[in-house]
Structure formats: C-alpha cells, structure tokens
Amino acid sequence: MAVDYAVIVVYLAGMLAMGWWGMRRARSKSEFLVAGRRLGPWMYSGTMAAIVLGGASTIGGVGLGYQYGLSGAWMVFTIGLGLLALSVFFSARIARLKVYTVSEMLDLRYGGRAGLISGIVMWAYTLMLAVTSTIAYATIFDVLFDMNRTVAIILGGTIVVAYSTLGGMWSITLTDMVQFVVKTIGVLLLLLPIAVIKAGGFGAMRAELPTAYFDPLGIGGETIFTYVLIYTFGMLIGQDIWQRVFTARSDRTARLGGTVAGTYCLVYAVAGAVIGTAAKVMYPKLPTADAAFATIVKDELPVGVRGLVLAAALAAVMSTSSGALIACATVANNDIWSRVKGAVTRGGDGAERDEVRGNRAFILIMGVAVIAIAIALNNVVEALTVAYNLLVGGLLVPILGGLLWRRGTAAGALAAVSVGGVAVIGLMAGYGILANEPVYYGLLASLAVYVVVSLATRPTDAAVLLAWRERLAGRGGETAPQEPAEQPVAG
C-alpha cells in the first residue's frame, strides 16, 4: 500500500498548497466569496460538476447500483437534470443579480423582509450538507489506513477547513478543478472499465443477475419521483449551487458551463450504477450496499491505481464538503449574524478587508462545528434527508415564485417559508424522517399559503419591482472587478 499512501499524501498536500495560493488572491469580499465573479467556462463547468458530485454521488451512487442495478443511477441522474434546468432556465438571471446569497435575492425581490427566516432555513441545509460530506471521510480513510472513525473525520475535516479558510472561493475553485480531473480519471477512465472487465463483461453480468437489475425503472416510480422532487428541485435553490453560479464571469459562462457540468453528471450517474452492478456480480453478499465502492477498489485494483481511485473518492467528498462549508459560513455571516447585529459594513478597501477577515472567521467557526457534529452523528442518510426536506419544503416556492410570478409578495414568501418548514418538520416527526410524505405535503402547504397570502395582501411596491427588474437585466448592483492586465482571466 506504500504507493497508494504516497498518492493520497501528495494529493492532500496539494490541496493545502492551493489553499495557501488562493489566500494571496482573496483580498476582497467578492474575491473571497465568489472568486471575483470572473470564472470562465472551463473552470466554471469543472468546479460546478465537482461540487454537485460528492460522496453520496460516488460511494452512494455505486451502492445504489449494487442494490438496484442500472436504475440505481436515478439519484445522481436527477442531480444532473436539476443542474441542467438551473443552467438553461435560471443561471443567467441569477448571475446578473450580483448578490452573495439566496436570501439577498429574496430581499431584492420582496423588499427586504424575507432574508432572516430564509437565511436560517438555508443555513440549516448547508450545515447538514457539510456534516454529511465530512462523515464520508471515515469510510475512505478506513479503507486507506484502517483509521478510527473520529480520527478520520478530524483529519479530513481539518484539511478542508484549512484550505477553505485560507483562500475562500479561490482556494475551493482551484482545489475543485484538481478534484474534477482526479475524479474523471479515477472513476470514469479507470474504475468503470476495470470493474466491468473483472465482472466478466456485460454479457456475464446479464447472465449472473436478475433481469430487474437491467430495468431502467427497476428502482420504482415513486422513488424516482421523490428523487426529482428533492434533488432536481434542490439543485435549483441551494446556496452551495447558487454561490457557484455567482462566480461566472458572464451569462453565457453560467449557461454553457452549467450545461456541460449537468451533462457530465448524467454520464457519472450511469457509470456509478454500472460499477455497482459489476460489484454485485463479484461480491453478491456484502453486508451493506455502500460497502461496494470500497470493496471493489480495495480488492480488484492494482497498486497505484487503487490510490488514485481512492483519491478520486476523497476528491468527491472534499469538493462537496468545502462548497457546503463556504455556503454555510456565508449564510451565517451575511444573512444571520449581520442582521442580528444590525449593521452591514460598507465602503472602502478597509471595509472589504474587514469583511474578508469576518467571512474567514466564520468559515473556521462553522468548520469546527461541522467536524464536531459529524463525530457525534451516525446516520448520514437521515441527516441529508432532513436537510433537503427543509430546503425544498421551505424555500422552493418563494424562490421560484419570486423568479416566475410577479404577484408574489413578501408576506406570501414569509408565510411559505414558515409554513413549509414547520410542516416538513412536523410531518417527519409523524411519518418518519425517511418517508416521502413530509416533502410532498410540506411543499403543497408552502405553495398553497404562498398563493393565498400573496393574493390577499398588497402587491409588491412598484419601486421594489423596478429595482428587481433592473438587477435581472444586469443593470445596477455590484460591479465585478476587472482582472489585472498581467493575470489571465480564469478558464
């Protein structure tokens, strides 16, 4: 395993080095939180694909393939569909708003009264997303070093917190590009063909497994519908995803780069399901489906290649974890703390530097909290389900309503966030966390109250709507800083 260890150590050292390099570029709030809003198509598509394809998409996607066959691709496939929908229909408008958080968008659209409550809901979602990504380090380091779960979480979490705190979005962007390349080579170009060959090829796989393993809808229509509702719609409104959209240097970059990333997700989904199906042929009686990825990597790959594929899994986890962490810290600082404190720093280079220090401190604080919660929490699936149910049930309607329906009001948005969030939590307590009903009924309740309250209250002030339309058209708001002449534009 010495060669495999060397590959992983070099990879982790590279992540820290890029964090240090990113620190030298992140000198303003815009640079630190959204990479100066100047990523080109190549870097934008790579980093977007990296953040949405995390440990759940890699380890979990292979596990679903092991359990259900090719239809196990649906979870990751719906993530790709959501990213495609976001890129084609909404990304250009989102990028033109020149904001930092989803709650700032709601304030712009509804007149400044929806931000705090929506910020709390979004913070809870990003926190749990970061926690579940951090827990995944335990699985990977256990395979690598037979390491204690707590030590593994602390090691992986500390590296991510370190490079995220140092350089903010610039560090995360640079590391995500490396992670995207490593993931592509490790999973698509190495593990996929090796797994199929080791299983005897597709003919042998078909002969060994039940026909249901090759039914595209074998996982069940209700499960697919739930994936669409949670993951496809979740991609449309998550702070971690929007914060990447904010990094695009133009409308075209957001639309084109996101479309490329979404298409990549669809390919990655099928690859994970095929790898899992191959693992089922080789190891028909694993204790859990999620053990399929680690088992096939540990037993079937040659030295060196094994290290690279494990680095790919680590890359998948780190990209999602770092993206969720900076999103969580951005919301905590800009949407919650600044409002509770009652003051937002404005103006001047000194104020910008203060904001960088403040956001850096919040990343560190949130990172420590994430590691502590990850150590205490055992059930990853339940934590992630709670996060997505809150996000979709509480925020989907007011966000899409604000983008698509002129008659929506601040009162309607606040009612939708409150009723949807409370309904989801209450229904999860009654039906169970993993039940489908909470998000179904919570979303319907949110939609109903949004429409009724909006129609029953005075329309949004004309001046607010005018300012909103100006921002959607790309006029007004923050101006993205220009890249110095001696530095090439990213991507």
Side-chain angles (χ1 to χ4, degrees):
M1 292 286 288
V3 176
D4 296 325
Y5 292 163
V7 171
I8 298 297
V9 169
V10 169
Y11 169 77
L12 294 177
M15 296 301 99
L16 292 174
M18 289 184 183
W20 183 262
W21 188 88
M23 182 176 67
R24 301 175 60 186
R25 296 200 63 166
R27 296 180 181 137
S28 69
K29 179 180 179 180
S30 175
E31 295 281 356
F32 191 81
L33 294 182
V34 290
R37 306 187 193 275
R38 55 179 176 235
L39 296 191
W42 164 238
M43 290 193 76
Y44 178 86
S45 59
T47 57
M48 183 64 88
I51 188 177
V52 300
L53 295 174
S57 300
T58 303
I59 299 171
V62 171
L64 287 171
Y66 182 88
Q67 188 173 0
Y68 297 105
L70 298 185
S71 66
W74 273 106
M75 184 187 78
V76 183
F77 203 84
T78 56
I79 290 174
L81 292 178
L83 187 52
L84 285 171
L86 175 72
S87 302
V88 172
F89 299 112
F90 299 109
S91 62
R93 283 184 282 178
I94 292 170
R96 285 195 294 263
L97 290 174
K98 295 292 187 291
V99 295
Y100 292 100
T101 68
V102 174
S103 295
E104 288 181 25
M105 167 263 169
L106 291 173
D107 278 352
L108 275 172
R109 169 60 181 82
Y110 295 112
R113 287 177 290 169
L116 181 59
I117 294 177
S118 63
I120 292 171
V121 174
M122 187 64 77
W123 174 78
Y125 157 72
T126 53
L127 177 70
M128 296 313 297
L129 186 61
V131 166
T132 55
S133 302
T134 303
I135 291 173
Y137 297 129
T139 301
I140 299 169
F141 283 113
D142 177 58
V143 175
L144 280 171
F145 308 115
D146 193 23
M147 187 179 289
N148 174 270
R149 177 181 183 275
T150 298
V151 175
I153 289 172
I154 292 173
L155 175 61
T158 299
I159 293 170
V160 169
V161 171
Y163 73 70
S164 301
T165 301
L166 285 172
M169 186 59 82
W170 265 124
S171 294
I172 292 170
T173 296
L174 294 170
T175 55
D176 276 359
M177 279 305 300
V178 174
Q179 289 158 358
F180 170 73
V181 173
V182 170
K183 199 155 43 179
T184 300
I185 295 172
V187 175
L188 297 185
L189 301 184
L190 292 176
L191 183 57
L192 174 61
I194 289 173
V196 173
I197 291 170
K198 291 282 186 177
F202 284 104
M205 290 163 62
R206 281 187 172 274
E208 289 286 335
L209 297 174
T211 306
Y213 266 73
F214 301 92
D215 180 359
L217 304 178
I219 198 170
E222 184 179 357
T223 299
I224 295 171
F225 178 74
T226 302
Y227 285 158
V228 170
L229 199 60
I230 293 178
Y231 296 114
T232 301
F233 285 117
M235 287 296 105
L236 299 179
I237 58 175
Q239 170 68 25
D240 52 324
I241 309 302
W242 277 42
Q243 199 155 343
R244 293 309 172 96
V245 176
F246 299 151
T247 65
R249 73 174 180 221
S250 67
D251 298 357
R252 183 175 179 275
T253 295
R255 188 181 295 110
L256 176 61
T259 301
V260 171
T263 304
Y264 179 90
C265 291
L266 303 183
V267 174
Y268 200 87
V270 175
V274 171
I275 293 168
T277 305
K280 184 67 175 179
V281 174
M282 291 183 278
Y283 309 99
K285 295 182 179 180
L286 289 177
T288 64
D290 283 343
F293 180 88
T295 302
I296 195 171
V297 170
K298 192 173 184 178
D299 293 350
E300 302 297 336
L301 299 186
V303 173
V305 173
R306 179 171 49 208
L308 184 59
V309 172
L310 287 171
L314 199 57
V317 175
M318 282 186 160
S319 57
T320 299
S321 181
S322 58
L325 177 59
I326 193 172
C328 177
T330 301
V331 171
N333 187 20
N334 293 272
D335 291 337
I336 300 175
W337 174 244
S338 65
R339 295 168 194 270
V340 172
K341 189 173 63 171
V344 178
T345 306
R346 291 186 176 87
D349 292 337
E352 283 285 288
R353 285 193 293 271
D354 287 342
E355 291 202 60
V356 170
R357 285 195 291 268
N359 282 292
R360 185 173 280 135
F362 265 87
I363 291 179
L364 181 59
I365 293 167
M366 291 296 107
V368 172
V370 163
I371 292 172
I373 296 170
I375 292 171
L377 197 64
N378 286 318
N379 197 314
V380 179
V381 175
E382 288 191 359
L384 194 61
T385 301
V386 170
Y388 271 99
N389 281 356
L390 272 175
L391 177 70
V392 174
L395 290 179
L396 178 67
V397 169
I399 291 172
L400 293 189
L403 289 168
L404 301 173
W405 192 38
R406 176 187 174 91
R407 187 59 180 82
T409 66
L414 286 169
V417 174
S418 303
V419 171
V422 171
V424 163
I425 293 172
L427 290 166
M428 281 191 293
Y431 283 99
I433 290 177
L434 299 180
N436 294 327
E437 288 84 358
V439 71
Y440 295 167
Y441 299 143
L443 189 56
L444 288 174
S446 179
L447 177 61
V449 76
Y450 178 73
V451 172
V452 170
V453 174
S454 292
L455 292 176
T457 53
R458 295 182 60 184
T460 304
D461 186 84
V464 171
L465 287 177
L466 177 62
W468 166 253
R469 287 195 296 271
E470 289 287 306
R471 293 290 281 270
L472 281 180
R475 298 186 291 270
E478 175 194 277
T479 302
Q482 297 298 309
E483 186 78 15
E486 69 273 17
Q487 298 180 355
V489 175

